Amino acid sequence: MVNHLSLGVIIVAVLATTVANAEINLVCAKDSVRITWRISPELVPHAARLFLGNCMASQFHVLPTGEGEAKFNYKFGDCKFKKLMKGKKLQYLNELTYRPQAKPKPAAFVYPITCTYKRPEGWVPPFLNPGSGVSEGRGGLVFHMALLDEQLKGYAKTNIIPLGSFMPIWAAVEQKSHQPLLLLMEECVATTSPQLQPSSQVYPIITNNGCLMESINGNSKFLPRYHTSAIVLYLQAFKFGLGEEVYIHCKLVAWDPQILGESKKACHFEKQNMSWELLDDPSQSAVCSCCSTTCRSRSKRGIQSESHGISTNTVLGPLIIVDPSDPRTQTISETPALN
């Protein structure tokens, strides 16, 4: 048994050395990638173990020389490409791998794939594009949601977030000529898709009509307001969707600031006092006590009154949360910022 195992290890090591000497040609197109990977005759029987991300070769040919030629022709939306925003450049990142054994066994060979593009004129991060981070609600109000930098002085220059660090998520509403309203985050969840579907796996962040559940186990909180029309969620990066594209879906509500209660509030858990606290008036924190159970809704017969406010659904993303201790994330987290 030991001899068989040793022989298997030797064979895998030999094949890994062989594939490391393979010829790889990369062509970055406008919205896709074309890769030709030429392998030795010894690897041809193992061609099914060649991957781009989670995609197998789209074509494979055996050449007259006995060598093999694997072709990967895929869009950047396929194969788990990661989109990295760095200053004036956009990058799409992935890996070619040879996996002689199925996961969770590590790959015997890894070759990084990077396509770099100049940021188009007028380009803004996806979370600021109309229909994504910008939503127009009823009554002509325009809602915004974006990721800020660590100093809270502007938009973040990258969407790569180290696990355990903080994501300052800013939301605001343009009120124009409308009566002054208070902006609230009524519900927020994280998913790995830009569209929220009934079957989507979700990670709850804010539930129960304004209760920041992430403040119980972690250190997330709402920051003090600088204006009633804006709110900053200081969210600690979590393990959900680690290494994948994560999207934050929120229901934003612009509400009459004089009518706060169990159904309309912004509450976080204050660990020092071991109690829930109302962001806008700590003396009225009793309205947050329901966060530990179920908060009553003002709705009647399933229809919420719109006389005191306007709501909209918006999404922020993609964000990529990475574990700095994982060697596989170093090529992402150590990419220098560009100005």
Side-chain angles (χ1 to χ4, degrees):
M1 178 66 182
V2 174
N3 291 336
H4 290 169
L5 179 61
S6 300
L7 180 61
V9 172
I10 292 172
I11 292 174
V12 169
V14 170
L15 291 177
T17 302
T18 303
V19 76
N21 297 324
E23 178 184 336
I24 297 173
N25 180 260
L26 168 66
V27 176
C28 297
K30 181 180 179 180
D31 60 353
S32 61
V33 66
R34 298 194 302 274
I35 301 172
T36 302
W37 189 353
R38 182 171 291 189
I39 60 175
S40 66
E42 294 85 354
L43 272 177
V44 169
H46 308 277
R49 306 307 303 168
L50 306 178
F51 297 93
L52 171 64
N54 64 338
C55 295
M56 299 175 64
S58 48
Q59 294 180 4
F60 184 78
H61 302 286
V62 178
L63 304 176
T65 60
E67 297 174 303
E69 189 176 73
K71 292 188 177 182
F72 298 83
N73 301 321
Y74 288 102
K75 299 281 189 180
F76 288 130
D78 302 325
C79 307
K80 293 190 174 182
F81 270 92
K82 290 181 173 61
K83 186 176 182 180
L84 177 65
M85 300 178 289
K86 284 288 187 180
K88 296 180 180 180
K89 293 188 178 181
L90 297 179
Q91 289 184 321
Y92 291 91
L93 309 174
N94 212 327
E95 292 178 340
L96 279 177
T97 58
Y98 167 58
R99 294 186 174 276
Q101 297 173 297
K103 291 182 178 181
K105 297 290 184 181
F109 173 77
V110 178
Y111 185 88
I113 297 295
T114 303
C115 288
T116 303
Y117 301 88
K118 181 180 178 181
R119 187 180 69 186
E121 291 295 327
W123 182 91
V124 294
F127 50 70
L128 296 181
N129 282 338
S132 180
V134 180
S135 302
E136 185 167 349
R138 292 180 292 277
L141 297 182
V142 179
F143 293 83
H144 300 265
M145 192 161 70
L147 183 67
L148 301 183
D149 59 25
E150 293 179 357
Q151 291 75 34
L152 309 178
K153 294 182 178 179
Y155 299 131
K157 290 183 170 58
T158 177
N159 63 342
I160 305 298
I161 315 294
L163 180 65
S165 64
F166 286 92
M167 301 180 279
I169 298 176
W170 165 82
V173 58
E174 293 182 33
Q175 303 190 44
K176 300 180 180 179
S177 59
H178 205 283
Q179 67 178 24
L181 294 172
L182 183 72
L183 185 68
L184 300 169
M185 290 179 161
E186 187 167 286
E187 306 284 341
C188 289
V189 298
T191 73
T192 54
S193 61
Q195 289 82 34
L196 196 57
Q197 305 291 344
S199 59
S200 298
Q201 183 180 4
V202 300
Y203 181 85
I205 299 171
I206 298 175
T207 64
N208 222 352
N209 298 315
C211 301
L212 178 54
M213 305 310 294
E214 274 295 283
S215 63
I216 298 178
N217 299 320
N219 297 305
S220 301
K221 61 182 178 180
F222 291 114
L223 295 183
R225 292 186 192 265
Y226 64 87
H227 196 281
T228 58
S229 62
I231 190 169
V232 176
L233 168 60
Y234 203 53
L235 183 64
Q236 190 170 27
F238 38 77
K239 289 186 177 181
F240 176 82
L242 196 63
E244 301 181 56
E245 292 187 346
V246 171
Y247 297 82
I248 309 294
H249 298 260
C250 289
K251 179 181 180 181
L252 303 179
V253 179
W255 194 254
D256 187 337
Q258 303 301 318
I259 308 177
L260 294 180
E262 288 190 9
S263 66
K264 293 292 180 289
K265 60 191 182 300
C267 301
H268 54 218
F269 192 75
E270 185 61 54
K271 287 188 171 62
Q272 185 175 355
N273 301 320
M274 294 301 292
S275 62
W276 289 92
E277 183 177 281
L278 183 66
L279 170 66
D280 298 291
D281 186 357
S283 68
Q284 302 295 321
S285 294
V287 301
C288 300
S289 60
C290 64
C291 288
S292 300
T293 54
T294 302
C295 298
R296 297 192 305 270
S297 173
R298 297 177 61 92
S299 62
K300 296 181 179 180
R301 297 180 184 177
I303 301 175
Q304 180 178 316
S305 171
E306 296 292 334
S307 60
H308 299 295
I310 295 170
S311 65
T312 191
N313 295 321
T314 190
V315 58
L316 169 68
L319 308 174
I320 302 175
I321 301 173
V322 298
D323 184 352
S325 64
D326 187 342
R328 292 174 295 181
T329 67
Q330 293 303 308
T331 56
I332 298 177
S333 59
E334 293 181 357
T335 303
L338 300 173
N339 298 318

